[in-house]
Amino acid sequence: MTHPLLDLPPLTPERFASIERGVAELLGTRQDVVITQGEALLPLEGCIRSGARPGSTALNIVTGPYGTTFGNWLRDAGARVVDLAVPFDTAVTGARVAEALAAHPEIDFVSLVHAEAATGNTNPVAEIGEAVRAHGGLFMLDAVASVGAEPLLPDEWGVDLCVIGAQKAMGGPAGVSAVSVSDRAWARFAENPAAPRRSYLSLLDWKERWIDGGRKALLHAPAQLEMLALEACLDRISAEGLDGVLARHGSAARATRAGAAALGIAPWVSDAAEAAPVATTLRVADASAVVGKALAARPSAVLAAGGGALAGEMVRVNHYGPAASPEAVATALEALAAALGSDPEPALSAAAAVWA
Ligand SMILES: *Cc1c(COP(=O)(O)O)cnc(C)c1O
């Protein structure tokens, strides 16, 4: 008996290349796009180990937990690392980045997370990119939590390495990711003797054997189910229109903040301009216990307690992908109201007013 997930014809190089073009179109980029066969940490680590080396100096902008991970990879690759950290409930500014670059003229690599799903903040990449361009150096952006949730313009912003994953606002699969790579970045990788080669972390392998070979032969059997899911997810975004998808996430974030305010809950990121549209974080005492009660009342609510040390003080409303909807936001607010013993009606009408 044939099975729809199992008995598929092989994914051809043509189909793979066309999915790559779909990602490039979504990013509005003219740079090469490499699709990587694993979650987004794969291209992020690949970019860092290809771009950084002993003798290089990296500015690592830390606005959430992923920045800490990048710093560790950069140091492991032998780079000297200048950390620019801000409290995780705020954003970094272009001026702070320009200052750090001016203080360390030797910086030749900059890593930044656009939006942080874990902490609910987002950074002004346009002005940061301007500072990086004025200084020089490769600019790597983790856009996993921003793609599909807020405007993302890697070419306009001077991003050399823009990493995305499909599993957040794109509403797609988690097992495949992608990175756009500028010509400058390819040149830097090629002259780095420590850049991964003949390795699963290697981006150069894809450049030399796939892109430069005219996209005729894949390096290995592609992750077929994930590629088909990525294609379906790109098609679904085109059908809705990217602007519509972005607007849905923006409304979900505003509605959640308005509803939470009606419940007397403060946002964890107090400045709305620094709050990421992908997910809304809320300041809630005893957050793990509150989430437990909330999920008991509404098991389908897209709620989670903050990770690690934040479990005691933060509730995350993960209103991304299909959950960027009036229904999902309402369910999350009802669940929170139930957990706190509050009347849900004021929160529901505040949220509904935002969607209307
Ligand atoms: C979710 C997320 C990731 C991790 O993506 P995976 O595909 O799960 O590895 C990376 N960076 C940011 C900013 C994220 O929000």
Side-chain angles (χ1 to χ4, degrees):
M1 247 190 15
T2 62
H3 187 287
L5 295 180
L6 301 178
D7 303 307
L8 295 162
L11 191 87
T12 63
E14 294 74 29
R15 186 94 174 256
F16 193 95
S18 119
I19 300 169
E20 260 184 3
R21 285 196 299 276
V23 172
E25 217 168 282
L26 179 76
L27 295 177
T29 183
R30 303 164 68 89
Q31 302 173 352
D32 289 327
V33 164
V34 178
I35 295 186
T36 38
Q37 314 276 303
E39 61 160 344
L41 290 174
L42 173 66
L44 287 165
E45 184 173 355
C47 285
I48 286 179
R49 294 193 186 278
S50 301
R53 62 194 245 187
S56 56
T57 302
L59 175 65
N60 184 42
I61 303 168
V62 183
T63 63
Y66 284 101
T68 309
T69 301
F70 299 168
N72 292 338
W73 284 334
L74 285 162
R75 275 176 266 270
D76 195 55
R80 203 169 73 78
V81 180
V82 176
D83 281 311
L84 169 57
V86 302
F88 293 178
D89 53 0
T90 65
V92 74
T93 61
R96 289 288 304 278
V97 172
E99 222 170 85
L101 292 168
H104 300 277
E106 69 280 16
I107 287 169
D108 57 13
F109 188 97
V110 177
S111 49
L112 173 72
V113 176
H114 186 181
E116 302 263 6
T119 43
N121 49 345
T122 186
N123 292 298
V125 184
E127 64 180 62
I128 295 166
E130 213 168 291
V132 176
R133 246 193 335 276
H135 173 91
L138 284 192
F139 185 20
M140 180 187 93
L141 185 69
D142 173 350
V144 176
S146 60
V147 64
E150 57 189 297
L152 175 60
L153 306 166
D155 288 7
E156 194 171 308
W157 296 342
V159 176
D160 293 289
L161 298 159
C162 183
V163 174
I164 65 159
Q167 77 272 34
K168 300 233 168 93
M170 289 173 68
V176 67
S177 49
V179 55
S180 66
V181 185
S182 71
D183 289 342
R184 278 175 355 128
W186 282 133
R188 261 280 283 277
F189 292 1
E191 69 195 24
N192 179 6
R197 289 173 172 84
R198 299 295 183 262
S199 154
Y200 213 64
L201 281 175
S202 178
L203 294 166
L204 280 174
D205 286 359
W206 283 91
K207 165 77 171 145
E208 289 162 6
R209 294 159 65 192
W210 167 248
I211 297 174
D212 292 348
R215 294 182 170 86
K216 299 259 182 331
L218 290 160
L219 273 59
H220 49 72
Q224 189 181 24
L225 291 174
E226 282 79 5
M227 290 301 292
L228 295 177
L230 177 58
E231 183 180 58
C233 145
L234 292 165
D235 288 347
R236 190 165 68 175
I237 291 171
S238 309
E240 182 177 357
L242 179 59
D243 288 345
V245 178
L246 301 182
R248 212 159 32 75
H249 285 83
S251 298
R254 283 192 301 280
T256 303
R257 282 173 84 90
L263 291 172
I265 302 173
W268 200 73
V269 177
S270 51
D271 183 346
E274 296 176 343
V278 70
T280 299
T281 47
L282 302 172
R283 213 168 280 277
V284 177
D286 221 355
S288 287
V290 170
V291 167
K293 282 188 206 163
L295 291 176
R298 292 282 187 284
S300 68
V302 285
L303 294 175
L310 298 173
E313 59 173 275
M314 178 205 284
V315 171
R316 281 171 57 178
V317 186
N318 292 323
H319 46 62
Y320 51 71
S325 71
E327 298 75 23
V329 169
T331 302
L333 292 169
E334 280 171 354
L336 281 172
L340 299 171
S342 309
D343 175 9
E345 281 316 317
L348 295 175
S349 42
V354 170
W355 291 100

